[in-house]
Amino acid sequence: MTPEILLHLEHVTRTFGKADRLFTAVKDINLDIHNGEFVALLGPSGCGKSTLLRMITGLIAPSSGIVSYRGKPVEGVNPYATMVFQSFALYPWLTVLDNVMLALEARDIPADEQKTKAEKLIDLVGMDGFESAYPRELSGGMRQKVGFARALAVEPELLCLDEPFSALDVLSAEALRGELMELWTSGQLPTKAVLMVSHNIEEAIAMADRIVVMGKEPGHIVTEFRVELVQPRQRKDPAFEALVDRIYGAIAGHTEPEAKEVGTPPGTPGMTRILPRSSVDELSGMLEVINQGAGHYDLYRLEGDLGIEMADLMQTVEMGEMLGFVDVKEGDIHITPLGQTFAEASILTRKEIFANRARRLPMIRWVMDMLHSAPDGILPWKLFYTALSPEFPDELAERQLDIAIDWGRYAELIDYDDRDQTLSLDPSDGKTVATAGKSA
Ligand code: ADP
Ligand code: MG
């Protein structure tokens, strides 16, 4: 038996602006949410996630298509759906208790029941003892918990969460995620389904039953994944990690460099594409600047804004292209969804994304394959140099190796021992990157 459909979106499109400057935020979205489901919407900023939630909760109407709840078109505010925003707006002049009670008053709950109910909710989110505190006395994490309590007071069937943890520090976010999952999986909530917007792949995998991946320009659904792992989910679980990789792959899929673009490994027929002379720091700097703009940039303006020579910039641009982080079209550089994910990611996630991409480059793969086939996984630098010499002039062969080592080290794929002048495989092989620190 398929669970009943609560929310139904059919060919939903939303545009903004007037006829001559019409902007399509999301286009032709089809999505169903069933009773009992926890669904995560994942995608780069600007792909229309918030716009979708606003249509679902009835704050705005679709330009075309149907948003219906339990088979009835949503007209005006959807009484079944409540939203928790990124940073919940509490009334600063009301105490924690009064902030939560306000939501109950709106529901015509008898006055004597309001207080008991509000106290129970405050207890539920782990805020008991703070009933008479004012929002200004609370940390961001505590305020967000009160925000949750207030949203839960409405007893929505569909709880909509718009990046509810992104304004919090790492520890508060993790704690609050845990509490929400506890509430959800233990069935203490009258809520029948959760729809959570996120741009954090691991958060989505840790919490959701289904992950809907969106892309942008215009916002659309790229693909979706079912998460079959049992709760509570372990980030170090190989199945968890495999899913992280698959989802990165889906996000990167649009910009997957063609095999011909990255060339062939040294020593095989075809051209080996030379690794451009640039570093991860330079690449990160460039991506951040592009991402802070509208996601694209005129190359000459970028040269000026970054304050570097065009020749150097072109090396970094090429590095970004090879890795699938940027596209260049007619003098404009565009950041890809993957590039954007990288620019907005934490240091560890950046390493993970970079490792995933770098290991596909023939030069890096060639170094790794050689090391894999060495008995103890160690080979002298000289050997690589000699092997490259037939294909590259001396200086270039040396520089190629330097770059491969530099990128490989950052990605935690390759190690270089300066004293012995040997290369080896990083014991983590780019894998501990995915989990290091996260469980700590
Ligand atoms: P996300 O939540 O995925 O970051 P949004 O839904 O906020 O994306 O926005 C999607 C696109 O729609 C963005 O390009 C944004 O600038 C645009 N947009 C959103 N709301 C409005 C609005 N009220 N007027 C004009 N453009 C808007
Ligand atoms: Mg948003």
Side-chain angles (χ1 to χ4, degrees):
M1 194 188 82
T2 21
E4 72 187 304
I5 294 172
L6 297 178
L7 179 76
H8 175 70
L9 270 65
E10 197 175 313
H11 302 304
V12 169
T13 294
R14 171 70 204 207
T15 55
F16 290 107
K18 296 254 164 57
D20 54 333
R21 289 197 71 90
L22 210 58
F23 172 81
T24 307
V26 292
K27 193 175 172 190
D28 198 24
I29 302 284
N30 296 294
L31 179 70
D32 282 342
I33 299 202
H34 302 89
N35 195 343
E37 270 193 312
F38 190 131
V39 178
L41 276 182
L42 196 66
S45 46
C47 72
K49 304 180 295 291
S50 297
T51 301
L52 268 187
L53 283 198
R54 289 164 69 209
M55 288 191 281
I56 290 165
T57 50
L59 297 174
I60 57 173
S63 305
S64 64
I66 299 166
V67 177
S68 65
Y69 196 89
R70 288 188 178 276
K72 293 204 188 74
V74 172
E75 279 159 9
V77 173
N78 181 351
Y80 296 102
T82 309
M83 178 121 82
V84 176
F85 296 94
Q86 189 171 30
S87 52
F88 206 89
L90 299 175
Y91 294 108
W93 60 87
L94 294 181
T95 62
V96 165
L97 184 66
D98 290 339
N99 261 290
V100 178
M101 277 175 63
L102 204 65
L104 295 167
E105 265 170 48
R107 282 182 54 217
D108 297 329
I109 306 262
D112 53 332
E113 273 178 44
Q114 281 175 21
K115 188 154 177 272
T116 346
K117 239 179 144 65
E119 280 169 346
K120 191 163 163 260
L121 285 164
I122 291 166
D123 203 13
L124 213 58
V125 297
M127 282 294 290
D128 51 325
F130 289 91
E131 288 82 357
S132 55
Y134 286 89
R136 63 170 184 277
E137 301 172 62
L138 307 177
S139 69
M142 292 163 116
R143 263 182 251 164
Q144 194 69 336
K145 286 186 186 182
V146 181
F148 268 103
R150 200 165 86 172
L152 297 175
V154 183
E155 301 201 346
E157 271 198 5
L158 176 65
L159 181 63
C160 295
L161 308 170
D162 196 352
E163 304 198 24
F165 311 109
S166 63
L168 304 179
D169 62 273
V170 179
L171 287 180
S172 314
E174 197 53 38
L176 198 49
R177 278 187 202 111
E179 273 166 59
L180 175 64
M181 283 321 283
E182 171 67 28
L183 287 177
W184 169 246
T185 52
S186 67
Q188 294 175 69
L189 300 180
T191 294
K192 297 208 158 97
V194 181
L195 178 59
M196 178 182 78
V197 163
S198 171
H199 65 231
N200 179 332
I201 294 180
E202 280 147 25
E203 170 180 294
I205 300 177
M207 302 175 79
D209 304 312
R210 190 152 62 96
I211 298 176
V212 176
V213 178
M214 292 182 67
K216 59 183 206 174
E217 283 166 7
H220 63 284
I221 292 177
V222 176
T223 183
E224 60 171 65
F225 293 89
R226 206 158 267 292
V227 189
E228 311 270 8
L229 311 170
V230 290
Q231 290 284 0
R233 296 176 182 154
Q234 307 299 330
R235 290 176 190 210
K236 284 187 170 184
D237 175 359
F240 192 113
E241 292 186 346
L243 196 53
V244 172
D245 283 350
R246 279 180 60 208
I247 296 179
Y248 275 129
I251 293 177
H254 310 285
T255 56
E256 197 84 53
E258 297 286 320
K260 64 177 185 329
E261 277 184 52
V262 291
T264 56
T268 60
M271 273 272 291
T272 303
R273 188 160 163 191
I274 296 171
L275 297 179
R277 198 169 8 164
S278 189
S279 66
V280 177
D281 279 345
E282 287 164 311
L283 177 70
S284 305
M286 179 183 80
L287 292 175
E288 278 160 22
V289 168
I290 300 172
N291 196 39
Q292 274 156 25
H296 56 86
Y297 234 92
D298 177 80
L299 276 174
Y300 287 96
R301 205 160 63 81
L302 187 59
E303 177 193 3
D305 288 358
L306 286 171
I308 56 171
E309 297 285 317
M310 186 50 103
D312 293 331
L313 175 60
M314 288 322 288
Q315 296 285 310
T316 309
V317 170
E318 198 182 335
M319 179 179 181
E321 269 188 302
M322 279 180 104
L323 294 163
F325 292 164
V326 294
D327 280 324
V328 177
K329 279 178 222 135
E330 293 159 10
D332 271 347
I333 181 165
H334 296 257
I335 196 163
T336 64
L338 184 68
Q340 192 174 6
T341 307
F342 180 89
E344 291 168 4
S346 66
I347 292 170
L348 282 171
T349 310
R350 279 187 179 191
K351 273 182 183 261
E352 187 186 335
I353 299 175
F354 188 86
N356 259 320
R357 302 305 296 176
R359 66 162 93 239
R360 297 171 202 218
L361 298 177
M363 183 69 73
I364 306 265
R365 209 170 56 220
W366 173 73
V367 172
M368 292 180 71
D369 286 347
M370 298 254 283
L371 291 169
H372 267 299
S373 55
D376 46 4
I378 302 176
L379 289 172
W381 181 90
K382 191 89 188 156
L383 187 133
F384 291 92
Y385 176 72
T386 314
L388 282 181
S389 296
E391 282 190 60
F392 298 109
D394 288 353
E395 209 185 301
L396 188 53
E398 189 167 340
R399 203 195 299 144
Q400 285 295 291
L401 266 179
D402 283 349
I403 298 168
I405 292 169
D406 181 46
W407 297 9
R409 270 180 156 171
Y410 171 80
E412 298 185 15
L413 296 170
I414 300 168
D415 243 349
Y416 176 67
D417 185 329
D418 197 40
R419 282 164 312 174
D420 308 343
Q421 303 204 331
T422 53
L423 277 72
S424 58
L425 288 170
D426 192 291
S428 61
D429 192 10
K431 284 216 174 59
T432 55
V433 177
T435 47
K438 276 173 201 150
S439 57

